[in-house]
Amino acid sequence: MMSKVETKKGYFGEFGGSFVPEPLQAALDHLEKAFEQYKDESEFNEELEYYLKEYVGRPNPLYFAQRLTEKLGGAKIYLKREDLNHTGAHKINNVMGQVLLAKRMGAKRVIAETGAGQHGVATATACAMFGMECVIYMGEEDTRRQALNVFRMELLGAKVVAVKDGARTLKEAVDAALMDYAENYENTFYLLGSAVGPHPYPTIVRHFQSVIGREARAQHLEKEGRLPDYIVACVGGGSNAIGLFAPFFDDKEVGIIGVEPGGRGLATGQHAAPLTAGEPGIIHGFKCYMMKDEDGEPASTHSVAAGLDYPGVGPEHSYYKAIGRAEYVAIDDEEALEAFHALSRTEGIIPAIESSHAVAYAMKLAPTLSADQSIIVNLSGRGDKDVQQVFDMMHNKK
Ligand SMILES: *Cc1c(COP(=O)(O)O)cnc(C)c1O
């Protein structure tokens, strides 16, 4: 069954689709068939629910940030606590769903790409727990910058392949993983980490991340007896955001706001905000808003948050923007860092720098609203992984 938001199979308006060579298309067709077969099967969903509860720790709270709310004055701020999940972020929701799908498909081997290493760690975690072989592709440059995450993946029993092509970062890692997948899809499952890539990945990732929005919607109804006025999430590839947004799509009274990384400022060009400042194009086998250089190729990007540093974005977000269902805004590096400190001090919660972008926007929005209104902010991850980086930045400034 197609989602009501998919205008034709694999498309969200003009966005999405699958622009890949033939061998890879065969693998994707195979995956789509399996996903359609299992996603509504009760045994599959019972098993997924079991692991989300017992292993991931769901449902996580929708926490009323009372001190932050009082400090800002205005709408109530609620935090959806994805940071409390096992491995410290929302990524594990999607990983558990896809690993169970891999098992059903009889795959012996799971591969994944990773940039900063967060998706690689989540994938290695689930593969360890299910006893599956795990290979993680990572640009050689990233393996150097994120040496501790490489070690984490190895502790968990994964093999990390350092990709030495091109700029040796995420793009090359994706290309290497796709090539492996096209060759080995009979026994290998490619576990993609965000709501991007060719069909059916954006649909699969949205499906498994929607648990965030379903829980948050029910929790807010229970606490407030009504729906929130706004829901806010940071957007890299867009998986934590679409997971929160999708279950609210038909609730027209709920404003949807996606927060992109404005980096050093939109005017500098050094950002990763394709929805706010990009244009439609094709990247990694699908159509979306993207940041282009003079030749129309994916531009180089910058964000203080490694997890948001990508020149494309999920096709479903591109569609939400095109039809005006969501608003996309940018928060720059400095504003995100201020929110990182503010939430740490007022609530005793150190947020991921990615999530701090959403917190920063909510901190601007709340004072413009009234006390009987409310905002849900998706706290996509915890900041433990970022304290060294913030420490270094603070000390270099002096
Ligand atoms: C990876 C990551 C993101 C960005 O990915 P999306 O697919 O846009 O959600 C955001 N927050 C955290 C904590 C992450 O690890």
Side-chain angles (χ1 to χ4, degrees):
M1 200 185 67
M2 257 167 36
S3 140
K4 54 187 176 277
V5 183
E6 273 175 82
T7 45
K8 82 180 186 216
K9 192 160 69 77
Y11 278 86
F12 306 91
E14 64 172 299
F15 302 102
S18 177
F19 303 87
V20 299
E22 191 42 50
L24 188 53
Q25 189 57 51
L28 296 172
D29 290 345
H30 182 65
L31 172 64
E32 182 191 16
K33 243 173 87 185
F35 174 64
E36 289 301 325
Q37 179 184 341
Y38 291 113
K39 77 181 177 53
D40 297 318
E41 194 196 272
S42 57
E43 202 181 313
F44 179 84
N45 285 310
E46 277 161 27
E47 194 177 351
L48 177 57
E49 249 171 62
Y50 171 85
Y51 286 110
L52 289 179
K53 176 166 182 273
E54 301 293 332
Y55 191 71
V56 174
R58 304 202 74 91
N60 55 45
L62 181 71
Y63 167 72
F64 174 41
Q66 185 172 358
R67 290 238 311 145
L68 185 64
T69 297
E70 282 166 4
K71 187 176 151 189
L72 296 168
K76 283 185 169 178
I77 296 179
Y78 281 95
L79 304 175
K80 183 58 177 157
R81 298 292 308 275
E82 294 300 309
D83 61 311
L84 294 178
N85 296 342
H86 181 43
T87 66
H90 68 289
K91 288 200 171 71
I92 193 84
N93 304 325
N94 167 55
V95 165
M96 293 311 291
Q98 287 198 46
V99 161
L100 286 178
L101 192 56
K103 265 187 27 168
R104 289 293 197 286
M105 293 174 74
K108 305 260 176 300
R109 189 171 166 265
V110 170
I111 61 172
E113 84 298 337
T114 199
Q118 296 306 114
H119 174 57
V121 170
T123 303
T125 297
C127 287
M129 200 264 283
F130 284 108
M132 296 178 88
E133 186 188 341
C134 179
V135 177
I136 304 293
Y137 287 96
M138 193 168 183
E140 192 190 35
E141 182 62 29
D142 289 334
T143 62
R144 253 200 298 276
R145 287 190 291 206
Q146 305 288 341
L148 265 184
N149 273 340
V150 174
F151 184 55
R152 277 192 187 98
M153 290 181 257
E154 288 170 351
L155 281 174
L156 293 160
K159 182 177 161 205
V160 179
V161 177
V163 180
K164 296 183 173 69
D165 305 318
R168 309 181 180 201
T169 61
L170 180 62
K171 183 189 177 302
E172 290 75 26
V174 173
D175 291 340
L178 285 173
M179 209 162 1
D180 181 326
Y181 187 44
E183 275 169 29
N184 300 304
Y185 76 90
E186 300 285 357
N187 69 358
T188 294
F189 188 98
Y190 179 18
L191 208 164
L192 205 133
S194 189
V196 297
H199 180 69
Y201 282 109
T203 300
I204 292 178
V205 175
R206 187 267 322 280
H207 179 78
F208 290 130
Q209 290 292 3
S210 291
V211 66
I212 301 171
R214 282 198 309 275
E215 280 180 15
R217 194 177 181 283
Q219 288 167 322
H220 192 279
L221 277 173
E222 193 190 319
K223 286 174 198 290
E224 294 287 335
R226 58 192 285 276
L227 292 173
D229 295 276
Y230 291 95
I231 56 176
V232 181
C234 67
V235 179
S239 71
N240 87 88
I242 206 69
L244 177 66
F245 298 171
F248 289 92
F249 182 81
D250 288 331
D251 301 314
K252 300 296 182 214
E253 69 270 37
V254 178
I256 298 180
I257 301 172
V259 185
E260 294 194 302
R264 300 193 172 97
L266 293 183
T268 67
Q270 295 179 40
H271 59 80
L275 289 163
T276 319
E279 54 185 312
I282 291 174
I283 180 172
H284 286 141
F286 70 105
K287 186 171 179 187
C288 65
Y289 277 89
M290 62 182 277
M291 286 173 55
K292 292 179 185 170
D293 64 16
E294 303 92 71
D295 302 324
E297 295 298 314
S300 60
T301 54
H302 163 80
S303 169
V304 68
L308 302 180
D309 207 348
Y310 180 63
V313 68
E316 199 161 347
H317 288 292
S318 302
Y319 179 62
Y320 276 36
K321 176 187 164 75
I323 62 171
R325 179 61 188 99
E327 184 188 352
Y328 293 89
V329 298
I331 283 289
D332 66 29
D333 290 350
E334 216 165 296
E335 293 170 312
L337 284 167
E338 281 167 23
F340 177 90
H341 288 288
L343 192 68
S344 299
R345 289 200 180 193
T346 45
E347 295 290 348
I349 298 170
I350 302 177
I353 302 190
E354 290 83 2
S355 323
S356 301
H357 287 72
V359 174
Y361 189 77
M363 288 173 64
K364 286 186 181 179
L365 179 63
T368 69
L369 303 174
S370 65
D372 57 2
Q373 291 182 293
S374 63
I375 304 170
I376 293 177
V377 180
N378 203 16
L379 208 65
S380 55
R382 68 178 81 127
D384 302 38
K385 67 181 178 62
D386 301 318
V387 292
Q388 180 76 54
Q389 184 190 345
V390 173
F391 177 88
D392 291 345
M393 283 188 296
M394 288 170 74
H395 286 254
N396 288 340
K397 257 188 198 166
K398 280 182 189 147

